Coordinates of all heavy atoms in Angstrom, one line a residue:
I1 N -49.9 -56.9 -102.6 CA -49.0 -56.0 -102.1 C -49.9 -54.7 -101.7 O -49.4 -53.8 -100.8 CB -48.0 -55.5 -103.3 CG1 -46.8 -54.9 -102.7 CG2 -48.6 -54.6 -104.2 CD1 -45.6 -54.8 -103.6
L2 N -51.1 -54.7 -102.1 CA -52.0 -53.5 -101.8 C -52.7 -53.6 -100.5 O -53.2 -54.7 -100.3 CB -52.9 -53.1 -103.0 CG -52.2 -52.9 -104.3 CD1 -53.5 -52.8 -105.4 CD2 -51.5 -51.6 -104.4
P3 N -53.0 -52.6 -99.7 CA -54.1 -52.7 -98.7 C -55.3 -53.0 -99.4 O -55.7 -52.6 -100.4 CB -54.0 -51.2 -98.1 CG -52.7 -50.7 -98.5 CD -52.2 -51.3 -99.8
P4 N -56.3 -53.7 -98.7 CA -57.5 -54.0 -99.3 C -58.3 -52.9 -99.9 O -58.9 -53.0 -101.0 CB -58.3 -54.7 -98.1 CG -57.2 -55.2 -97.2 CD -56.1 -54.3 -97.3
A5 N -58.2 -51.6 -99.3 CA -58.9 -50.5 -99.9 C -58.5 -50.1 -101.2 O -59.2 -49.5 -102.0 CB -58.9 -49.3 -98.9
L6 N -57.3 -50.4 -101.5 CA -56.7 -50.0 -102.8 C -56.8 -51.2 -103.9 O -56.4 -50.9 -105.1 CB -55.2 -49.6 -102.7 CG -55.0 -48.4 -101.8 CD1 -53.5 -48.1 -101.7 CD2 -55.7 -47.3 -102.4
R7 N -57.1 -52.3 -103.6 CA -57.1 -53.4 -104.5 C -58.0 -53.2 -105.7 O -57.7 -53.8 -106.8 CB -57.4 -54.8 -103.9 CG -56.2 -55.2 -103.0 CD -56.3 -56.5 -102.3 NE -55.2 -56.6 -101.3 CZ -55.1 -57.6 -100.5 NH1 -56.0 -58.5 -100.4 NH2 -54.0 -57.7 -99.6
P8 N -59.2 -52.5 -105.6 CA -60.0 -52.2 -106.8 C -59.2 -51.4 -107.9 O -59.5 -51.4 -109.0 CB -61.2 -51.5 -106.3 CG -61.3 -51.9 -104.8 CD -59.9 -52.2 -104.5
M9 N -58.1 -50.8 -107.4 CA -57.3 -49.9 -108.4 C -56.2 -50.7 -108.9 O -55.3 -50.1 -109.7 CB -56.7 -48.7 -107.6 CG -57.7 -47.8 -107.0 SD -57.1 -46.5 -106.0 CE -56.1 -45.6 -107.1
W10 N -56.2 -52.0 -108.9 CA -54.9 -52.8 -109.4 C -54.7 -52.6 -110.9 O -53.5 -52.3 -111.1 CB -55.3 -54.3 -109.0 CG -54.2 -55.2 -109.5 CD1 -54.4 -56.2 -110.5 CD2 -52.8 -55.2 -109.2 NE1 -53.1 -56.8 -110.7 CE2 -52.2 -56.3 -109.9 CE3 -52.0 -54.6 -108.3 CZ2 -50.9 -56.6 -109.9 CZ3 -50.7 -54.9 -108.2 CH2 -50.1 -55.9 -108.9
E11 N -55.7 -52.6 -111.7 CA -55.5 -52.5 -113.1 C -54.9 -51.1 -113.4 O -54.1 -50.9 -114.2 CB -56.7 -52.7 -113.8 CG -57.3 -54.2 -113.8 CD -56.3 -55.1 -114.4 OE1 -55.6 -54.8 -115.3 OE2 -56.2 -56.3 -113.9
Q12 N -55.4 -50.0 -112.7 CA -54.9 -48.7 -112.9 C -53.5 -48.6 -112.5 O -52.6 -48.0 -113.1 CB -55.8 -47.7 -112.1 CG -55.3 -46.2 -112.2 CD -56.2 -45.4 -111.4 OE1 -57.4 -45.7 -111.1 NE2 -55.7 -44.1 -111.1
I13 N -53.1 -49.3 -111.4 CA -51.7 -49.3 -111.0 C -50.8 -50.0 -111.9 O -49.7 -49.5 -112.2 CB -51.6 -50.0 -109.5 CG1 -52.3 -49.0 -108.5 CG2 -50.2 -50.2 -109.1 CD1 -52.5 -49.7 -107.2
L14 N -51.3 -51.0 -112.6 CA -50.5 -51.7 -113.5 C -50.2 -50.8 -114.7 O -49.1 -51.0 -115.3 CB -51.3 -53.0 -113.9 CG -51.1 -54.2 -112.9 CD1 -51.8 -55.4 -113.5 CD2 -49.7 -54.6 -112.5
E15 N -51.3 -50.1 -115.1 CA -51.0 -49.2 -116.3 C -50.0 -48.2 -115.9 O -49.2 -47.8 -116.8 CB -52.4 -48.5 -116.5 CG -53.5 -49.4 -117.2 CD -54.7 -48.7 -117.4 OE1 -54.7 -47.4 -117.5 OE2 -55.8 -49.3 -117.8
G16 N -50.0 -47.6 -114.6 CA -49.1 -46.7 -114.3 C -47.6 -47.2 -114.4 O -46.7 -46.4 -114.7
V17 N -47.4 -48.5 -113.9 CA -46.0 -48.9 -114.0 C -45.5 -49.4 -115.5 O -44.4 -50.0 -115.5 CB -45.8 -50.1 -113.0 CG1 -46.0 -49.5 -111.6 CG2 -46.7 -51.3 -113.3
Q18 N -46.2 -49.0 -116.5 CA -45.7 -49.1 -117.7 C -44.8 -48.0 -118.3 O -44.2 -48.0 -119.3 CB -46.8 -49.3 -118.7 CG -47.8 -50.5 -118.5 CD -47.1 -51.7 -118.3 OE1 -46.3 -52.2 -119.1 NE2 -47.3 -52.4 -117.2
R19 N -44.8 -46.9 -117.4 CA -44.1 -45.7 -117.7 C -42.5 -46.0 -117.9 O -42.1 -46.6 -116.9 CB -44.4 -44.6 -116.7 CG -43.7 -43.3 -116.9 CD -44.4 -42.3 -115.9 NE -43.6 -41.1 -115.7 CZ -43.0 -40.7 -114.7 NH1 -42.9 -41.5 -113.6 NH2 -42.3 -39.5 -114.5
P20 N -41.9 -45.5 -118.8 CA -40.4 -45.9 -118.9 C -39.6 -45.3 -117.7 O -39.8 -44.2 -117.3 CB -40.0 -45.1 -120.3 CG -41.2 -45.0 -121.0 CD -42.3 -44.8 -120.0
A21 N -38.7 -46.1 -117.2 CA -37.8 -45.6 -116.2 C -36.9 -44.4 -116.5 O -36.7 -43.7 -115.6 CB -36.8 -46.8 -115.6
S22 N -36.6 -44.3 -117.8 CA -35.8 -43.3 -118.2 C -36.6 -41.8 -118.0 O -36.1 -40.8 -117.7 CB -35.5 -43.3 -119.7 OG -36.6 -43.5 -120.4
E23 N -37.9 -42.0 -118.2 CA -38.8 -40.8 -117.9 C -38.9 -40.4 -116.5 O -38.8 -39.4 -116.0 CB -40.2 -41.0 -118.5 CG -41.1 -39.8 -118.4 CD -42.5 -40.1 -119.1 OE1 -42.5 -40.7 -120.1 OE2 -43.5 -39.6 -118.4
A24 N -39.1 -41.5 -115.6 CA -39.2 -41.3 -114.3 C -38.0 -40.8 -113.6 O -38.1 -40.1 -112.6 CB -39.6 -42.7 -113.6
A25 N -36.9 -41.1 -114.2 CA -35.6 -40.5 -113.6 C -35.4 -39.1 -113.7 O -34.6 -38.6 -113.0 CB -34.3 -41.4 -114.4
R26 N -36.2 -38.5 -114.5 CA -36.0 -37.1 -114.8 C -36.1 -36.2 -113.4 O -35.4 -35.2 -113.3 CB -36.9 -36.6 -115.8 CG -36.7 -37.1 -117.2 CD -37.6 -36.7 -118.2 NE -37.5 -37.3 -119.5 CZ -38.4 -37.4 -120.4 NH1 -39.6 -36.8 -120.3 NH2 -38.2 -38.0 -121.6
S27 N -37.1 -36.5 -112.6 CA -37.3 -35.7 -111.4 C -36.2 -35.9 -110.5 O -35.6 -34.9 -109.9 CB -38.6 -36.2 -110.7 OG -38.5 -37.5 -110.3
V28 N -35.4 -37.1 -110.5 CA -34.3 -37.2 -109.5 C -33.1 -36.6 -110.1 O -32.4 -35.8 -109.4 CB -34.0 -38.7 -109.5 CG1 -32.9 -39.0 -108.5 CG2 -35.2 -39.5 -109.1
V29 N -32.9 -36.6 -111.4 CA -31.8 -35.8 -111.9 C -31.9 -34.4 -111.9 O -31.1 -33.6 -111.6 CB -31.6 -36.3 -113.5 CG1 -30.6 -35.4 -114.2 CG2 -31.3 -37.7 -113.5
F30 N -33.2 -33.9 -112.1 CA -33.6 -32.5 -111.9 C -33.2 -32.1 -110.5 O -32.5 -31.0 -110.3 CB -35.0 -32.3 -112.2 CG -35.5 -30.8 -112.0 CD1 -35.0 -29.9 -113.0 CD2 -36.1 -30.4 -110.9 CE1 -35.6 -28.6 -112.8 CE2 -36.6 -29.1 -110.7 CZ -36.2 -28.2 -111.7
A31 N -33.6 -32.9 -109.5 CA -33.2 -32.4 -108.1 C -31.8 -32.4 -107.9 O -31.2 -31.7 -107.0 CB -33.9 -33.5 -107.0
A32 N -31.1 -33.4 -108.5 CA -29.6 -33.5 -108.4 C -28.8 -32.4 -109.1 O -27.6 -32.1 -108.6 CB -29.2 -34.8 -108.8
T33 N -29.3 -31.7 -110.0 CA -28.5 -30.8 -110.8 C -29.0 -29.5 -111.0 O -28.3 -28.6 -111.4 CB -28.4 -31.5 -112.3 OG1 -29.7 -31.6 -112.8 CG2 -27.7 -32.8 -112.2
D34 N -30.3 -29.1 -110.8 CA -30.8 -27.8 -111.2 C -30.3 -26.8 -110.3 O -30.5 -26.8 -109.0 CB -32.4 -27.9 -111.3 CG -32.9 -26.5 -111.8 OD1 -32.9 -25.5 -111.1 OD2 -33.1 -26.5 -113.1
P35 N -29.7 -25.8 -110.8 CA -29.0 -24.8 -109.8 C -30.0 -23.9 -109.3 O -29.6 -23.2 -108.2 CB -28.0 -24.1 -110.9 CG -28.7 -24.1 -112.2 CD -29.3 -25.5 -112.2
S36 N -31.2 -23.8 -109.8 CA -32.2 -22.8 -109.1 C -32.8 -23.2 -107.9 O -33.4 -22.5 -107.2 CB -33.3 -22.5 -110.2 OG -34.1 -23.6 -110.4
L37 N -32.6 -24.6 -107.5 CA -33.4 -25.1 -106.4 C -32.8 -24.7 -105.1 O -31.7 -24.7 -104.9 CB -33.4 -26.6 -106.5 CG -34.1 -27.2 -107.7 CD1 -34.1 -28.7 -107.7 CD2 -35.6 -26.7 -107.8
E38 N -33.8 -24.4 -104.1 CA -33.2 -24.2 -102.7 C -33.5 -25.5 -101.8 O -34.4 -26.2 -102.0 CB -34.0 -23.0 -102.1 CG -33.8 -21.7 -102.9 CD -34.5 -20.5 -102.2 OE1 -34.9 -20.7 -101.0 OE2 -34.5 -19.5 -102.7
T39 N -32.6 -25.6 -100.9 CA -32.6 -26.8 -100.1 C -33.9 -27.1 -99.4 O -34.5 -26.1 -99.1 CB -31.3 -26.8 -99.1 OG1 -31.3 -28.1 -98.5 CG2 -31.6 -25.7 -98.0
G40 N -34.2 -28.4 -99.3 CA -35.4 -28.7 -98.4 C -36.6 -29.0 -99.3 O -37.7 -29.4 -98.7
L41 N -36.5 -29.0 -100.6 CA -37.7 -29.2 -101.5 C -38.0 -30.7 -101.7 O -37.0 -31.4 -101.7 CB -37.5 -28.5 -102.8 CG -37.5 -26.9 -102.8 CD1 -37.2 -26.4 -104.1 CD2 -38.9 -26.4 -102.3
V42 N -39.2 -31.0 -102.0 CA -39.6 -32.2 -102.5 C -39.9 -32.1 -103.9 O -40.8 -31.2 -104.3 CB -40.7 -33.0 -101.8 CG1 -41.1 -34.3 -102.4 CG2 -40.4 -33.2 -100.3
I43 N -39.2 -32.7 -104.9 CA -39.6 -32.5 -106.3 C -40.5 -33.6 -106.8 O -40.2 -34.9 -106.6 CB -38.2 -32.6 -107.1 CG1 -37.3 -31.5 -106.6 CG2 -38.6 -32.4 -108.6 CD1 -37.8 -30.1 -106.7
G44 N -41.6 -33.3 -107.4 CA -42.6 -34.3 -107.9 C -42.1 -34.9 -109.2 O -41.3 -34.5 -109.9
P45 N -43.0 -35.8 -109.7 CA -42.8 -36.5 -111.0 C -42.7 -35.5 -112.1 O -42.1 -35.9 -113.1 CB -43.9 -37.5 -111.1 CG -44.3 -37.7 -109.6 CD -44.1 -36.4 -109.0
D46 N -43.3 -34.4 -112.0 CA -43.3 -33.4 -113.2 C -42.2 -32.5 -113.1 O -42.2 -31.4 -113.7 CB -44.6 -32.7 -113.3 CG -44.9 -31.9 -112.0 OD1 -44.2 -32.0 -111.0 OD2 -46.0 -31.1 -112.0

């Protein structure tokens, strides 16, 4: 699934996708609900 240049990072990528989906959902829910946000932003994983 990776471009050849990224394949040496395969093990690191596998480690990353062990993160719980419930934790990853937080940024989406934050963007959906936080009243302080102004339109047009991209909200990162943190």
Side-chain angles (χ1 to χ4, degrees):
I1 205 167
L2 300 175
L6 296 182
R7 289 181 187 172
M9 301 175 61
W10 175 243
E11 294 300 325
Q12 181 180 340
I13 289 169
L14 286 183
E15 290 179 13
V17 297
Q18 303 307 307
R19 180 168 167 252
S22 58
E23 181 180 323
R26 292 174 187 166
S27 64
V28 183
V29 175
F30 180 78
T33 61
D34 190 275
S36 70
L37 298 178
E38 294 189 9
T39 189
L41 295 174
V42 179
I43 303 301
D46 62 352

